[in-house]
Amino acid sequence: MSRIAAVTPVLPEFCYPQQEITATIGSLLTADGSPRRAVLERLHASSGVRTRHLAMPLEDYRDLTTFGQANDLFISLGTDLAERALRGALSAAGLVPEDVDFILFTSVTGISAPSIDALLVSRLGLRRDVKRVPVFGLGCVAGAAGIARVHDYLAGHPAEVAVLLSVELCSLTMQPGDDSMANLVSSGLFGDGASAVVMVGDARAAAMGLVGPDVVATRSNLYPDTQGVLGWDIGGSGFKIVLAASLADVVEQHLGNDVADLLAAHQLKIGDVPTWVAHTGGPRILEAAARSLDLPAGAFDLSWRSLERVGNLSSSGVLHVLADTLARGGQQPGEPGVLFALGPGICAELVLLSWPDGS
């Protein structure tokens, strides 16, 4: 097993009510007085989002006209957020940058070479021999998949410290003038944020007395014939969202069986799990997941609250919910939990957690 020692979520300083975002973004995506403006307003109002944090002041998005501009901002602003998240998580775990042996960095809202994790090495004082794996393309699932892959690494390096770092500046992918249904939905749902998760192997956790939930097992699934349901069309203007209405149907059809299979391998059933850390995919996704798992009302309360406060943060979304879950506490020793997210593919990543003595 590996142990989650600390989770630090961070947000940009610019926070706006959903109605203010709707009014400003609406004029960039649709013509004044057009029927599509009414559609946009209705979709934004039903998104479950009350406030969102943005990488820039809201009025500056009018001047964001090229992919190059947006990507330059992703690198500069994203690196600042990543630094805040990683410094905070290491401090919370009682560690320093020189302790880090491995970094998995993920984002699907910008690209850079060298990647943001490399830019942090000199800025934070990470070791020059730190092992790095930057990942692009997993989208929203990368928060859960990142924990799973860091867990895999630590299984072979039980005395080491590893970090999952997620940066998602979704607002920088906005496509002005695109009034497609997918773009109207996404413009009301996604926010900006980052997060860092510090994880340690068994030996390191025991030596330092670090507390936190253990990662017991993980499971991945890529659903056939769903490539066109979620993702990006990448062109001259940057990242154009692909988002089909059938996404919730895919979740409802498959998620419950996947979770049941993971739990059965550990002599557990869905009803045995009191703690659920669900990605904030939006109202339809959370509702479909609850139906698929046959969970009682309230099982995803922290995910609904996070969606309301900050929107869908792509790969950082489930990590913000994980931070809220750890802050709330109340888990009993030996109690299981399940963290899950979904992403382009369509794919699902599931993580079985267990709270040890002293957490």
Side-chain angles (χ1 to χ4, degrees), residues 97-265:
E98 292 88 347
D99 292 322
V100 178
D101 301 291
F102 175 86
I103 301 175
L104 191 153
F105 171 75
T106 187
S107 182
V108 76
T109 53
I111 53 176
S112 64
S115 51
I116 283 176
D117 50 291
L119 300 177
L120 291 177
V121 171
S122 59
R123 187 186 286 205
L124 269 76
L126 295 161
R127 299 199 317 263
R128 288 189 298 167
D129 67 347
V130 66
K131 289 161 278 190
R132 302 179 298 106
V133 179
V135 176
F136 178 89
L138 286 175
C140 297
V141 80
I147 288 176
R149 300 294 78 79
V150 171
H151 167 73
D152 293 342
Y153 173 82
L154 289 170
H157 302 82
E160 294 194 0
V161 174
V163 170
L164 167 63
L165 186 59
S166 161
V167 174
E168 301 289 11
L169 302 185
C170 304
S171 69
L172 298 180
T173 69
M174 183 184 63
Q175 298 289 305
D178 177 8
D179 65 357
S180 66
M181 186 63 72
N183 200 42
L184 298 186
V185 170
S186 66
S187 70
L189 182 61
F190 289 94
D192 296 342
S195 41
V197 182
V198 175
M199 298 173 60
V200 297
D202 283 345
R204 189 62 172 255
M208 294 187 63
L210 293 173
V211 299
D214 289 325
V215 177
V216 177
T218 70
R219 180 160 298 201
S220 308
N221 204 346
L222 183 64
Y223 305 134
D225 303 318
T226 59
Q227 295 93 331
V229 176
L230 178 66
W232 294 126
D233 279 336
I234 301 176
S237 62
F239 302 125
K240 183 176 180 180
I241 190 75
V242 175
L243 180 61
S246 58
L247 176 57
D249 297 331
V250 175
V251 174
E252 186 167 357
Q253 179 182 355
H254 294 286
L255 182 64
N257 290 334
D258 287 346
V259 173
D261 288 346
L262 171 64
L263 294 175

